[in-house]
Short mmCIF file of all heavy atoms in Angstrom, two decimals:
data_model
loop_
_atom_site.label_atom_id
_atom_site.label_comp_id
_atom_site.label_asym_id
_atom_site.label_seq_id
_atom_site.Cartn_x
_atom_site.Cartn_y
_atom_site.Cartn_z
N GLN A 165 -21.86 4.05 16.21
CA GLN A 165 -20.58 4.34 15.56
C GLN A 165 -20.01 5.69 15.99
O GLN A 165 -18.82 5.85 16.24
CB GLN A 165 -20.77 4.36 14.04
CG GLN A 165 -19.50 4.31 13.22
CD GLN A 165 -18.73 3.03 13.41
OE1 GLN A 165 -17.72 3.02 14.05
NE2 GLN A 165 -19.21 1.96 12.82
N GLY A 166 -20.91 6.69 16.12
CA GLY A 166 -20.47 7.99 16.56
C GLY A 166 -19.93 7.96 17.97
O GLY A 166 -18.89 8.58 18.30
N GLN A 167 -20.60 7.23 18.85
CA GLN A 167 -20.17 7.11 20.24
C GLN A 167 -18.78 6.43 20.31
O GLN A 167 -17.90 6.87 21.06
CB GLN A 167 -21.15 6.29 21.08
CG GLN A 167 -22.49 6.96 21.28
CD GLN A 167 -22.40 8.15 22.20
OE1 GLN A 167 -22.43 9.32 21.78
NE2 GLN A 167 -22.27 7.89 23.50
N SER A 168 -18.60 5.39 19.58
CA SER A 168 -17.31 4.65 19.61
C SER A 168 -16.17 5.44 19.00
O SER A 168 -15.05 5.45 19.51
CB SER A 168 -17.46 3.27 18.90
OG SER A 168 -17.81 3.46 17.56
N ILE A 169 -16.43 6.10 17.88
CA ILE A 169 -15.39 6.91 17.26
C ILE A 169 -15.04 8.10 18.18
O ILE A 169 -13.85 8.47 18.29
CB ILE A 169 -15.84 7.41 15.88
CG1 ILE A 169 -15.92 6.23 14.91
CG2 ILE A 169 -14.90 8.46 15.34
CD1 ILE A 169 -16.43 6.58 13.53
N GLY A 170 -16.03 8.65 18.82
CA GLY A 170 -15.76 9.74 19.80
C GLY A 170 -14.83 9.26 20.91
O GLY A 170 -13.96 9.97 21.41
N LEU A 171 -15.02 8.01 21.33
CA LEU A 171 -14.16 7.42 22.36
C LEU A 171 -12.71 7.32 21.91
O LEU A 171 -11.79 7.61 22.63
CB LEU A 171 -14.72 6.03 22.72
CG LEU A 171 -13.98 5.24 23.82
CD1 LEU A 171 -14.12 5.97 25.17
CD2 LEU A 171 -14.59 3.84 23.91
N VAL A 172 -12.55 6.91 20.63
CA VAL A 172 -11.20 6.77 20.08
C VAL A 172 -10.53 8.14 19.90
O VAL A 172 -9.34 8.30 20.17
CB VAL A 172 -11.26 6.01 18.70
CG1 VAL A 172 -9.90 6.04 18.01
CG2 VAL A 172 -11.69 4.61 18.92
N CYS A 173 -11.29 9.13 19.49
CA CYS A 173 -10.73 10.44 19.15
C CYS A 173 -10.26 11.18 20.40
O CYS A 173 -9.61 12.24 20.29
CB CYS A 173 -11.77 11.28 18.40
SG CYS A 173 -12.06 10.72 16.73
N LYS A 174 -10.56 10.71 21.59
CA LYS A 174 -10.09 11.37 22.81
C LYS A 174 -8.61 11.14 23.07
O LYS A 174 -8.03 11.82 23.92
CB LYS A 174 -10.89 10.86 24.01
CG LYS A 174 -12.37 11.24 23.99
CD LYS A 174 -13.10 10.66 25.19
CE LYS A 174 -14.57 11.03 25.17
NZ LYS A 174 -15.30 10.41 26.34
N ASP A 175 -8.00 10.20 22.37
CA ASP A 175 -6.61 9.78 22.67
C ASP A 175 -5.84 9.69 21.34
O ASP A 175 -6.22 8.95 20.46
CB ASP A 175 -6.62 8.46 23.39
CG ASP A 175 -5.24 8.10 23.97
OD1 ASP A 175 -4.21 8.53 23.40
OD2 ASP A 175 -5.19 7.35 24.97
N THR A 176 -4.73 10.45 21.27
CA THR A 176 -3.89 10.43 20.08
C THR A 176 -3.36 9.05 19.78
O THR A 176 -3.28 8.64 18.60
CB THR A 176 -2.73 11.42 20.20
OG1 THR A 176 -3.25 12.72 20.56
CG2 THR A 176 -1.96 11.54 18.90
N VAL A 177 -2.98 8.33 20.83
CA VAL A 177 -2.50 6.96 20.61
C VAL A 177 -3.53 6.08 20.00
O VAL A 177 -3.26 5.30 19.04
CB VAL A 177 -2.02 6.35 21.97
CG1 VAL A 177 -1.68 4.89 21.81
CG2 VAL A 177 -0.82 7.13 22.47
N LEU A 178 -4.78 6.17 20.41
CA LEU A 178 -5.84 5.37 19.85
C LEU A 178 -6.13 5.77 18.41
O LEU A 178 -6.45 4.90 17.55
CB LEU A 178 -7.13 5.48 20.68
CG LEU A 178 -7.11 4.88 22.09
CD1 LEU A 178 -8.42 5.06 22.79
CD2 LEU A 178 -6.75 3.41 22.02
N ILE A 179 -6.02 7.05 18.09
CA ILE A 179 -6.21 7.49 16.73
C ILE A 179 -5.16 6.90 15.80
O ILE A 179 -5.46 6.36 14.74
CB ILE A 179 -6.14 9.04 16.62
CG1 ILE A 179 -7.32 9.69 17.36
CG2 ILE A 179 -6.10 9.51 15.18
CD1 ILE A 179 -7.26 11.18 17.48
N LEU A 180 -3.89 6.90 16.26
CA LEU A 180 -2.83 6.32 15.43
C LEU A 180 -2.99 4.78 15.35
O LEU A 180 -2.68 4.22 14.27
CB LEU A 180 -1.47 6.66 16.03
CG LEU A 180 -1.08 8.14 15.93
CD1 LEU A 180 0.23 8.40 16.72
CD2 LEU A 180 -0.92 8.55 14.47
N GLN A 181 -3.48 4.15 16.40
CA GLN A 181 -3.74 2.72 16.31
C GLN A 181 -4.83 2.40 15.32
O GLN A 181 -4.78 1.40 14.60
CB GLN A 181 -4.14 2.20 17.69
CG GLN A 181 -3.03 2.16 18.72
CD GLN A 181 -1.95 1.13 18.39
OE1 GLN A 181 -0.87 1.47 17.96
NE2 GLN A 181 -2.26 -0.13 18.59
N ALA A 182 -5.86 3.28 15.25
CA ALA A 182 -6.91 3.11 14.25
C ALA A 182 -6.38 3.27 12.84
O ALA A 182 -6.79 2.53 11.94
CB ALA A 182 -8.03 4.13 14.54
N VAL A 183 -5.48 4.22 12.64
CA VAL A 183 -4.86 4.38 11.28
C VAL A 183 -4.08 3.10 10.94
O VAL A 183 -4.14 2.62 9.79
CB VAL A 183 -3.94 5.61 11.28
CG1 VAL A 183 -3.15 5.67 9.97
CG2 VAL A 183 -4.74 6.88 11.45
N MET A 184 -3.33 2.56 11.89
CA MET A 184 -2.62 1.33 11.65
C MET A 184 -3.57 0.21 11.30
O MET A 184 -3.28 -0.64 10.42
CB MET A 184 -1.78 0.95 12.88
CG MET A 184 -0.53 1.80 13.06
SD MET A 184 0.36 1.37 14.58
CE MET A 184 0.68 -0.34 14.32
N ALA A 185 -4.70 0.09 12.02
CA ALA A 185 -5.66 -0.96 11.76
C ALA A 185 -6.24 -0.83 10.36
O ALA A 185 -6.39 -1.85 9.65
CB ALA A 185 -6.77 -0.92 12.78
N PHE A 186 -6.48 0.40 9.91
CA PHE A 186 -7.02 0.64 8.57
C PHE A 186 -6.04 0.13 7.53
O PHE A 186 -6.39 -0.58 6.59
CB PHE A 186 -7.31 2.15 8.40
CG PHE A 186 -7.81 2.52 7.03
CD1 PHE A 186 -9.17 2.27 6.72
CD2 PHE A 186 -6.99 3.09 6.12
CE1 PHE A 186 -9.65 2.62 5.45
CE2 PHE A 186 -7.45 3.42 4.83
CZ PHE A 186 -8.79 3.18 4.52
N LEU A 187 -4.74 0.55 7.66
CA LEU A 187 -3.74 0.10 6.69
C LEU A 187 -3.47 -1.40 6.77
O LEU A 187 -3.29 -2.07 5.73
CB LEU A 187 -2.44 0.86 6.94
CG LEU A 187 -2.46 2.39 6.69
CD1 LEU A 187 -1.14 2.99 7.11
CD2 LEU A 187 -2.76 2.68 5.23
N PHE A 188 -3.52 -1.94 8.01
CA PHE A 188 -3.27 -3.36 8.23
C PHE A 188 -4.31 -4.22 7.49
O PHE A 188 -3.97 -5.17 6.77
CB PHE A 188 -3.31 -3.66 9.72
CG PHE A 188 -3.23 -5.14 10.03
CD1 PHE A 188 -2.04 -5.79 10.01
CD2 PHE A 188 -4.37 -5.84 10.40
CE1 PHE A 188 -1.96 -7.16 10.31
CE2 PHE A 188 -4.34 -7.17 10.70
CZ PHE A 188 -3.14 -7.84 10.68
N TYR A 189 -5.56 -3.82 7.59
CA TYR A 189 -6.62 -4.59 6.91
C TYR A 189 -6.50 -4.46 5.39
O TYR A 189 -6.84 -5.39 4.65
CB TYR A 189 -7.98 -4.14 7.38
CG TYR A 189 -8.52 -4.87 8.58
CD1 TYR A 189 -7.98 -4.62 9.85
CD2 TYR A 189 -9.50 -5.81 8.48
CE1 TYR A 189 -8.43 -5.29 10.96
CE2 TYR A 189 -9.96 -6.52 9.59
CZ TYR A 189 -9.40 -6.25 10.84
OH TYR A 189 -9.88 -6.92 11.94
N ILE A 190 -6.06 -3.33 4.90
CA ILE A 190 -5.85 -3.15 3.47
C ILE A 190 -4.82 -4.14 2.98
O ILE A 190 -5.05 -4.93 2.04
CB ILE A 190 -5.41 -1.74 3.10
CG1 ILE A 190 -6.55 -0.74 3.32
CG2 ILE A 190 -4.94 -1.66 1.64
CD1 ILE A 190 -6.19 0.71 3.06
N TYR A 191 -3.61 -4.16 3.60
CA TYR A 191 -2.56 -4.96 3.03
C TYR A 191 -2.65 -6.44 3.40
O TYR A 191 -2.26 -7.28 2.61
CB TYR A 191 -1.16 -4.42 3.40
CG TYR A 191 -0.67 -4.59 4.83
CD1 TYR A 191 -0.29 -5.86 5.29
CD2 TYR A 191 -0.46 -3.52 5.68
CE1 TYR A 191 0.20 -6.01 6.57
CE2 TYR A 191 0.03 -3.68 6.94
CZ TYR A 191 0.38 -4.92 7.38
OH TYR A 191 0.93 -5.09 8.66
N LEU A 192 -3.25 -6.75 4.57
CA LEU A 192 -3.34 -8.16 4.94
C LEU A 192 -4.47 -8.86 4.13
O LEU A 192 -4.22 -9.89 3.46
CB LEU A 192 -3.62 -8.33 6.41
CG LEU A 192 -3.71 -9.78 6.87
CD1 LEU A 192 -2.36 -10.47 6.73
CD2 LEU A 192 -4.18 -9.89 8.31
N LEU A 193 -5.68 -8.33 4.19
CA LEU A 193 -6.78 -9.00 3.52
C LEU A 193 -6.71 -8.81 2.00
O LEU A 193 -7.16 -9.68 1.25
CB LEU A 193 -8.12 -8.47 4.06
CG LEU A 193 -8.40 -8.87 5.50
CD1 LEU A 193 -9.73 -8.31 5.94
CD2 LEU A 193 -8.41 -10.38 5.65
N GLY A 194 -6.16 -7.70 1.57
CA GLY A 194 -5.93 -7.54 0.12
C GLY A 194 -5.03 -8.63 -0.39
O GLY A 194 -5.31 -9.29 -1.41
N TYR A 195 -3.93 -8.89 0.32
CA TYR A 195 -3.03 -9.96 -0.13
C TYR A 195 -3.64 -11.35 0.09
O TYR A 195 -3.52 -12.20 -0.81
CB TYR A 195 -1.71 -9.87 0.66
CG TYR A 195 -0.77 -11.04 0.41
CD1 TYR A 195 -0.10 -11.17 -0.78
CD2 TYR A 195 -0.62 -12.05 1.38
CE1 TYR A 195 0.73 -12.27 -1.02
CE2 TYR A 195 0.21 -13.14 1.14
CZ TYR A 195 0.87 -13.24 -0.05
OH TYR A 195 1.68 -14.31 -0.28
N MET A 196 -4.30 -11.58 1.21
CA MET A 196 -4.84 -12.92 1.51
C MET A 196 -5.91 -13.32 0.50
O MET A 196 -6.02 -14.50 0.14
CB MET A 196 -5.40 -12.96 2.94
CG MET A 196 -4.38 -12.78 4.02
SD MET A 196 -3.07 -14.02 4.02
CE MET A 196 -3.99 -15.48 4.50
N THR A 197 -6.70 -12.36 0.01
CA THR A 197 -7.74 -12.72 -0.95
C THR A 197 -7.20 -12.97 -2.36
O THR A 197 -7.92 -13.49 -3.22
CB THR A 197 -8.83 -11.62 -1.04
OG1 THR A 197 -8.19 -10.37 -1.29
CG2 THR A 197 -9.60 -11.55 0.28
N THR A 198 -5.95 -12.58 -2.63
CA THR A 198 -5.30 -12.87 -3.92
C THR A 198 -4.20 -13.91 -3.80
O THR A 198 -3.63 -14.30 -4.80
CB THR A 198 -4.73 -11.60 -4.51
OG1 THR A 198 -3.75 -11.05 -3.61
CG2 THR A 198 -5.81 -10.55 -4.78
N LYS A 199 -3.94 -14.38 -2.58
CA LYS A 199 -2.77 -15.24 -2.37
C LYS A 199 -2.86 -16.55 -3.13
O LYS A 199 -1.89 -16.97 -3.79
CB LYS A 199 -2.59 -15.53 -0.85
CG LYS A 199 -1.35 -16.33 -0.53
CD LYS A 199 -1.32 -16.76 0.92
CE LYS A 199 -2.41 -17.74 1.19
NZ LYS A 199 -2.37 -18.32 2.55
N THR A 200 -3.99 -17.23 -3.04
CA THR A 200 -4.14 -18.52 -3.73
C THR A 200 -4.00 -18.33 -5.22
O THR A 200 -3.30 -19.14 -5.90
CB THR A 200 -5.46 -19.17 -3.37
OG1 THR A 200 -5.58 -19.35 -1.98
CG2 THR A 200 -5.59 -20.51 -4.08
N SER A 201 -4.59 -17.29 -5.75
CA SER A 201 -4.45 -17.01 -7.23
C SER A 201 -3.01 -16.72 -7.57
O SER A 201 -2.51 -17.14 -8.61
CB SER A 201 -5.37 -15.85 -7.62
OG SER A 201 -6.72 -16.17 -7.35
N TYR A 202 -2.35 -15.97 -6.69
CA TYR A 202 -0.95 -15.64 -6.93
C TYR A 202 -0.08 -16.90 -6.91
O TYR A 202 0.80 -17.06 -7.79
CB TYR A 202 -0.46 -14.63 -5.87
CG TYR A 202 1.04 -14.46 -5.82
CD1 TYR A 202 1.73 -13.84 -6.87
CD2 TYR A 202 1.77 -14.85 -4.72
CE1 TYR A 202 3.11 -13.70 -6.83
CE2 TYR A 202 3.16 -14.68 -4.65
CZ TYR A 202 3.80 -14.08 -5.74
OH TYR A 202 5.17 -13.92 -5.68
N LEU A 203 -0.30 -17.77 -5.95
CA LEU A 203 0.52 -18.97 -5.83
C LEU A 203 0.27 -19.93 -7.03
O LEU A 203 1.21 -20.55 -7.53
CB LEU A 203 0.21 -19.71 -4.54
CG LEU A 203 0.69 -19.02 -3.25
CD1 LEU A 203 0.32 -19.81 -2.02
CD2 LEU A 203 2.20 -18.80 -3.28
N THR A 204 -1.00 -20.04 -7.51
CA THR A 204 -1.24 -20.86 -8.67
C THR A 204 -0.66 -20.22 -9.91
O THR A 204 -0.20 -20.93 -10.83
CB THR A 204 -2.74 -21.07 -8.85
OG1 THR A 204 -3.44 -19.81 -8.88
CG2 THR A 204 -3.34 -21.89 -7.73
N LEU A 205 -0.59 -18.90 -9.95
CA LEU A 205 0.00 -18.18 -11.08
C LEU A 205 1.49 -18.51 -11.24
O LEU A 205 2.03 -18.64 -12.32
CB LEU A 205 -0.21 -16.66 -10.95
CG LEU A 205 0.39 -15.75 -12.03
CD1 LEU A 205 -0.21 -16.04 -13.40
CD2 LEU A 205 0.26 -14.30 -11.65
N ILE A 206 2.18 -18.67 -10.06
CA ILE A 206 3.63 -18.93 -10.13
C ILE A 206 3.98 -20.40 -10.10
O ILE A 206 5.15 -20.75 -9.99
CB ILE A 206 4.39 -18.19 -9.00
CG1 ILE A 206 3.91 -18.70 -7.63
CG2 ILE A 206 4.14 -16.67 -9.09
CD1 ILE A 206 4.67 -18.12 -6.45
N GLY A 207 2.94 -21.27 -10.16
CA GLY A 207 3.23 -22.67 -10.33
C GLY A 207 2.72 -23.65 -9.26
O GLY A 207 2.86 -24.87 -9.43
N PHE A 208 2.08 -23.16 -8.20
CA PHE A 208 1.51 -24.05 -7.17
C PHE A 208 0.19 -24.63 -7.66
O PHE A 208 -0.57 -23.95 -8.35
CB PHE A 208 1.29 -23.32 -5.85
CG PHE A 208 2.54 -23.11 -5.03
CD1 PHE A 208 3.53 -22.25 -5.45
CD2 PHE A 208 2.72 -23.81 -3.85
CE1 PHE A 208 4.68 -22.08 -4.70
CE2 PHE A 208 3.87 -23.62 -3.09
CZ PHE A 208 4.84 -22.78 -3.51
N LYS A 209 -0.13 -25.86 -7.24
CA LYS A 209 -1.45 -26.41 -7.43
C LYS A 209 -2.39 -25.85 -6.35
O LYS A 209 -1.93 -25.36 -5.31
CB LYS A 209 -1.42 -27.94 -7.38
CG LYS A 209 -0.64 -28.59 -8.48
CD LYS A 209 -0.66 -30.12 -8.35
CE LYS A 209 0.15 -30.76 -9.47
NZ LYS A 209 0.18 -32.25 -9.33
N MET A 210 -3.70 -25.97 -6.58
CA MET A 210 -4.67 -25.41 -5.66
C MET A 210 -4.47 -25.95 -4.24
O MET A 210 -4.42 -25.24 -3.23
CB MET A 210 -6.10 -25.70 -6.13
CG MET A 210 -7.18 -25.18 -5.23
SD MET A 210 -7.29 -23.36 -5.23
CE MET A 210 -8.04 -23.09 -6.80
N GLU A 211 -4.39 -27.32 -4.14
CA GLU A 211 -4.23 -27.92 -2.82
C GLU A 211 -2.86 -27.65 -2.18
O GLU A 211 -2.74 -27.58 -0.97
CB GLU A 211 -4.47 -29.44 -2.87
CG GLU A 211 -3.57 -30.21 -3.80
CD GLU A 211 -4.13 -30.30 -5.19
OE1 GLU A 211 -5.01 -29.49 -5.52
OE2 GLU A 211 -3.71 -31.21 -5.93
N GLU A 212 -1.82 -27.45 -3.05
CA GLU A 212 -0.50 -27.14 -2.52
C GLU A 212 -0.41 -25.76 -1.89
O GLU A 212 0.46 -25.49 -1.07
CB GLU A 212 0.53 -27.23 -3.65
CG GLU A 212 0.80 -28.64 -4.15
CD GLU A 212 1.76 -28.67 -5.34
OE1 GLU A 212 2.00 -27.59 -5.95
OE2 GLU A 212 2.27 -29.79 -5.64
N ALA A 213 -1.36 -24.90 -2.26
CA ALA A 213 -1.37 -23.56 -1.66
C ALA A 213 -1.66 -23.58 -0.18
O ALA A 213 -1.41 -22.61 0.52
CB ALA A 213 -2.40 -22.68 -2.40
N MET A 214 -2.22 -24.71 0.32
CA MET A 214 -2.49 -24.83 1.74
C MET A 214 -1.24 -25.28 2.53
O MET A 214 -1.21 -25.10 3.73
CB MET A 214 -3.60 -25.84 1.98
CG MET A 214 -4.96 -25.42 1.49
SD MET A 214 -5.55 -23.93 2.23
CE MET A 214 -5.43 -24.33 3.97
N LEU A 215 -0.29 -25.86 1.87
CA LEU A 215 0.89 -26.44 2.61
C LEU A 215 1.67 -25.36 3.38
O LEU A 215 2.09 -25.62 4.52
CB LEU A 215 1.79 -27.16 1.60
CG LEU A 215 1.23 -28.45 1.02
CD1 LEU A 215 2.19 -29.06 -0.01
CD2 LEU A 215 0.89 -29.48 2.11
N PRO A 216 1.95 -24.19 2.80
CA PRO A 216 2.64 -23.14 3.60
C PRO A 216 1.91 -22.78 4.87
O PRO A 216 2.53 -22.49 5.89
CB PRO A 216 2.76 -21.95 2.63
CG PRO A 216 2.72 -22.56 1.29
CD PRO A 216 1.79 -23.74 1.41
N GLU A 217 0.55 -22.75 4.81
CA GLU A 217 -0.22 -22.37 5.97
C GLU A 217 -0.11 -23.45 7.09
O GLU A 217 -0.07 -23.09 8.27
CB GLU A 217 -1.72 -22.23 5.58
CG GLU A 217 -1.95 -21.20 4.51
CD GLU A 217 -1.41 -19.85 4.93
OE1 GLU A 217 -1.57 -19.44 6.11
OE2 GLU A 217 -0.83 -19.15 4.05
N ILE A 218 -0.07 -24.70 6.69
CA ILE A 218 0.10 -25.78 7.69
C ILE A 218 1.47 -25.64 8.40
O ILE A 218 1.55 -25.71 9.63
CB ILE A 218 -0.03 -27.16 7.01
CG1 ILE A 218 -1.47 -27.34 6.46
CG2 ILE A 218 0.28 -28.26 8.00
CD1 ILE A 218 -1.66 -28.57 5.63
N LEU A 219 2.51 -25.43 7.61
CA LEU A 219 3.82 -25.26 8.20
C LEU A 219 3.84 -24.03 9.11
O LEU A 219 4.41 -24.06 10.20
CB LEU A 219 4.87 -25.10 7.07
CG LEU A 219 6.33 -24.81 7.51
CD1 LEU A 219 6.88 -25.97 8.32
CD2 LEU A 219 7.20 -24.54 6.28
N ALA A 220 3.28 -22.93 8.65
CA ALA A 220 3.27 -21.69 9.42
C ALA A 220 2.56 -21.84 10.76
O ALA A 220 2.99 -21.36 11.79
CB ALA A 220 2.65 -20.58 8.59
N SER A 221 1.37 -22.52 10.75
CA SER A 221 0.64 -22.68 11.97
C SER A 221 1.42 -23.49 13.00
O SER A 221 1.37 -23.22 14.21
CB SER A 221 -0.70 -23.41 11.68
OG SER A 221 -1.52 -22.66 10.82
N ALA A 222 2.20 -24.48 12.51
CA ALA A 222 3.02 -25.27 13.43
C ALA A 222 4.16 -24.46 14.02
O ALA A 222 4.54 -24.67 15.18
CB ALA A 222 3.56 -26.50 12.71
N SER A 223 4.69 -23.51 13.24
CA SER A 223 5.86 -22.75 13.69
C SER A 223 5.53 -21.80 14.83
O SER A 223 6.43 -21.38 15.58
CB SER A 223 6.46 -21.96 12.52
OG SER A 223 5.60 -20.89 12.14
N VAL A 224 4.26 -21.43 14.94
CA VAL A 224 3.83 -20.48 15.97
C VAL A 224 4.16 -20.99 17.36
O VAL A 224 4.50 -20.23 18.27
CB VAL A 224 2.34 -20.13 15.79
CG1 VAL A 224 1.85 -19.34 16.98
CG2 VAL A 224 2.16 -19.31 14.51
N PHE A 225 4.00 -22.31 17.58
CA PHE A 225 4.24 -22.88 18.91
C PHE A 225 5.66 -22.62 19.39
O PHE A 225 5.91 -22.34 20.57
CB PHE A 225 3.99 -24.40 18.89
CG PHE A 225 2.59 -24.76 18.44
CD1 PHE A 225 2.37 -25.42 17.27
CD2 PHE A 225 1.48 -24.39 19.19
CE1 PHE A 225 1.12 -25.76 16.84
CE2 PHE A 225 0.21 -24.72 18.82
CZ PHE A 225 0.04 -25.41 17.60
#
Side-chain angles (χ1 to χ4, degrees):
Q165 194 66 253
Q167 292 290 104
S168 61
I169 290 177
L171 182 65
V172 172
C173 290
K174 293 178 181 179
D175 190 332
T176 307
V177 171
L178 292 180
I179 293 173
L180 292 174
Q181 290 292 105
V183 172
M184 286 176 58
F186 179 78
L187 295 175
F188 173 78
Y189 271 74
I190 290 177
Y191 75 69
L192 181 67
L193 291 180
Y195 172 74
M196 294 301 291
T197 53
T198 58
K199 184 188 67 174
T200 301
S201 298
Y202 167 67
L203 291 179
T204 55
L205 177 64
I206 63 176
F208 281 70
K209 294 180 181 179
M210 179 69 74
E211 59 270 20
E212 289 176 345
M214 292 301 304
L215 292 176
E217 300 304 318
I218 295 173
L219 175 65
S221 298
S223 72
V224 169
F225 302 113

